Amino acid sequence: MAVNVAVVGATGAVGEEFLRILESRKFPIKELRLLASKRSVGKKIKFCGVNYVVQELTKSSFRGIKIALFSAGSSISKEFVPYAIESGAVCVDNSSAFRMDDDVPLVVPEVNAQEIAKHKGVIANPNCSTIQMVVALKPIHDAARIKRIVVSTYQAVSGAGLKAVDELQKETASVLAGKTDFKRNLFPHQIAFNVLPQIPQSNAFLPNGYTSEEMKMVNETQKIMGDKNIRITATTARVPVVRGHSESVNIETERKITASEVKKLLSKAPGVKLVDDPANQVYPLANMAAGRDEVFVGRIREDESIDNGINMWIVSDNIRKGAALNAIQIAEKLL
Ligand code: 25A
Ligand code: L14
């Protein structure tokens, strides 16, 4: 049955991807409403061959809407999700606004789809780095119980939106032209030809010395996996890549699991593509993941410094499985 769908933040990096995925997966849409800030009002966006005009997001934007996909940041979600619910819509929210609320399901369909049914009008879409990690780790947790995770990320600039992609491109051109006076709007330091151990780019650091992105990986992983006993520590870094987050993940399990058992498990895990042939220099890469749906896993090997340890390299498109695709998979389950 076709339904009325609203996309909030339709002109953003995630919003544009929502539309591509809704179209390619033939999501059953009766009426589509594209919402964004005043800045984007009147902008035309093509969907399934038809031009749609972007409208300003207001309290009354959700009349008749059945499913609202939000990706306009947490302050917009906090303000407008309540109006959408009041209008009878179910919201899938990409922001961090409601993720840790006890009565809001935080869902990655391959891991905890059963939580969707408990929603009270809003389902939270997790952080991009967290999503790709739990898709790969859930089958291992079920088989051998993960006690501890040590993760370091190499995150693409598109996670910070289209303006960040623009800044990387312009700064790269500027550095190549030998100019050193590039004026930055977003990143606190040069991102071209550099690595920044700070995400997000502003108000990142918490009193414990970690960034909010790092603590999202800790708290959201425990909630999605439904296991508060997993100990997790994260370091998140920004690299000059446009699309695709990469992660070095080390796990310690309760029961011994060999690298070949992990490969066997992941070769049939939902949403995962095993790419692990080091002899031929085959392993997951950001430019392999860009534009794709799967979570790519490789470099699987035993951690020889402890009894029950595994190391792996996990890569996925942060705007697709990390955001728009995961949200649309949730919406498909809602229908
Ligand atoms: O939850 P958090 O932690 O707060 O983080 C959420 C933020 O991270 C991104 C997403 O950015 C969001 O802003 N994000 C969320 N989930 C993510 C995930 N899982 C994720 N990233 C990766 N993985 P985004 O760029 O994808 O989306 C931003 C959209 O929000 C719209 N928006 C902003 N304010 C709004 C609003 N919509 C309604 N009402 C508001 N008040 C925004 O639309 C965008 O679609 P827009 O209308 O602002 O149009 C963007 C166009 O305008 C240009 N532009 C932007 N800022 C300015 C500007 N032009 C001039 N001056 C500016 N200051 C842009 O170039 C664009 O063309
Ligand atoms: O919490 O800047 O979903 O790469 C997603 C994008 C956090 C920051 C979230 C980035 C945001 C992240």
Side-chain angles (χ1 to χ4, degrees):
M1 196 198 49
V3 295
N4 295 343
V5 175
V7 175
V8 180
T11 53
V14 177
E16 287 179 350
E17 201 67 36
F18 272 142
L19 298 176
R20 260 179 239 130
I21 296 173
L22 288 169
E23 180 165 343
S24 66
R25 289 171 80 96
K26 300 187 167 55
F27 195 88
I29 297 176
K30 192 155 78 191
E31 185 200 317
L32 178 66
R33 210 167 292 167
L34 303 185
L35 304 165
S37 74
K38 255 199 193 97
R39 275 190 300 277
S40 295
V41 169
K43 195 176 165 199
K44 290 194 185 67
I45 300 181
K46 223 187 199 93
F47 179 78
C48 291
V50 178
N51 269 322
Y52 287 80
V53 180
V54 177
Q55 303 171 28
E56 184 181 358
L57 173 66
T58 67
K59 295 173 193 179
S60 49
S61 291
F62 301 97
R63 208 165 293 145
I65 294 294
K66 192 87 205 149
I67 292 192
L69 304 171
F70 275 77
S71 190
S74 41
S75 56
I76 297 297
S77 291
K78 280 188 189 127
E79 187 178 347
F80 289 94
V81 161
Y83 296 117
I85 296 174
E86 206 178 282
S87 300
V90 180
C91 306
V92 184
D93 181 33
N94 248 298
S95 82
S96 52
F98 308 107
R99 288 179 188 155
M100 296 312 296
D101 289 8
D102 283 336
D103 56 355
V104 175
L106 182 64
V107 176
V108 178
E110 290 87 345
V111 178
N112 64 342
Q114 77 283 351
E115 296 297 312
I116 294 173
K118 299 180 187 164
H119 79 81
K120 295 176 181 153
V122 56
I123 296 154
N125 195 73
N127 168 272
C128 35
S129 301
T130 307
I131 292 176
Q132 66 183 64
M133 185 170 80
V134 297
V135 167
L137 294 189
K138 181 62 161 60
I140 305 170
H141 189 50
D142 290 345
R145 216 181 80 71
I146 296 172
K147 289 184 355 191
R148 181 166 184 253
I149 303 170
V150 181
V151 54
S152 299
T153 70
Y154 306 70
Q155 298 185 214
V157 295
S158 54
L162 294 172
K163 276 180 287 181
V165 175
D166 188 58
E167 185 156 307
L168 170 63
Q169 286 167 343
K170 291 198 170 123
E171 192 171 50
T172 302
S174 168
V175 172
L176 286 175
K179 285 189 230 147
T180 50
D181 59 345
F182 182 80
K183 191 188 168 307
R184 282 182 296 273
N185 294 311
L186 216 70
F187 293 112
H189 304 283
Q190 179 179 319
I191 181 63
F193 306 101
N194 212 358
V195 177
L196 312 183
Q198 174 189 332
I199 296 176
Q201 46 286 343
S202 59
N203 302 323
F205 291 99
L206 304 170
N208 65 0
Y210 288 80
T211 65
S212 54
E213 180 77 353
E214 288 160 352
M215 294 315 296
K216 283 175 187 175
M217 292 196 76
V218 174
N219 298 323
E220 294 182 23
T221 298
Q222 290 177 339
K223 179 167 173 178
I224 300 161
M225 301 275 256
D227 189 343
K228 290 264 172 227
N229 294 318
I230 306 177
R231 286 171 296 166
I232 304 158
T233 188
T235 302
T236 60
R238 186 81 68 194
V239 294
V241 164
V242 171
R243 274 263 191 146
H245 288 358
S246 303
E247 301 177 338
S248 164
V249 177
N250 174 269
I251 57 170
E252 184 176 0
T253 56
E254 190 164 282
R255 289 180 290 287
K256 172 79 186 166
I257 187 163
T258 64
S260 70
E261 285 167 330
V262 170
K263 286 179 206 175
K264 210 168 142 206
L265 272 179
L266 293 182
S267 67
K268 39 185 200 232
V272 173
K273 180 143 178 64
L274 187 68
V275 180
D276 202 0
D277 182 11
N280 289 306
Q281 299 178 81
V282 172
Y283 31 70
L285 296 168
N287 72 344
M288 158 196 296
R292 297 277 298 269
D293 288 350
E294 304 94 326
V295 172
F296 298 88
V297 188
R299 297 294 322 277
I300 296 166
R301 60 213 192 275
E302 282 150 45
D303 174 354
E304 297 180 337
S305 72
I306 51 174
D307 288 336
N308 299 344
I310 292 284
N311 279 308
M312 63 184 87
W313 185 250
I314 303 173
V315 182
S316 193
D317 185 325
N318 54 302
I319 301 295
R320 285 181 79 88
K321 185 58 185 170
L325 173 66
N326 195 72
I328 288 169
Q329 288 171 325
I330 293 169
E332 287 171 345
K333 301 246 179 228
L334 276 169
L335 295 184

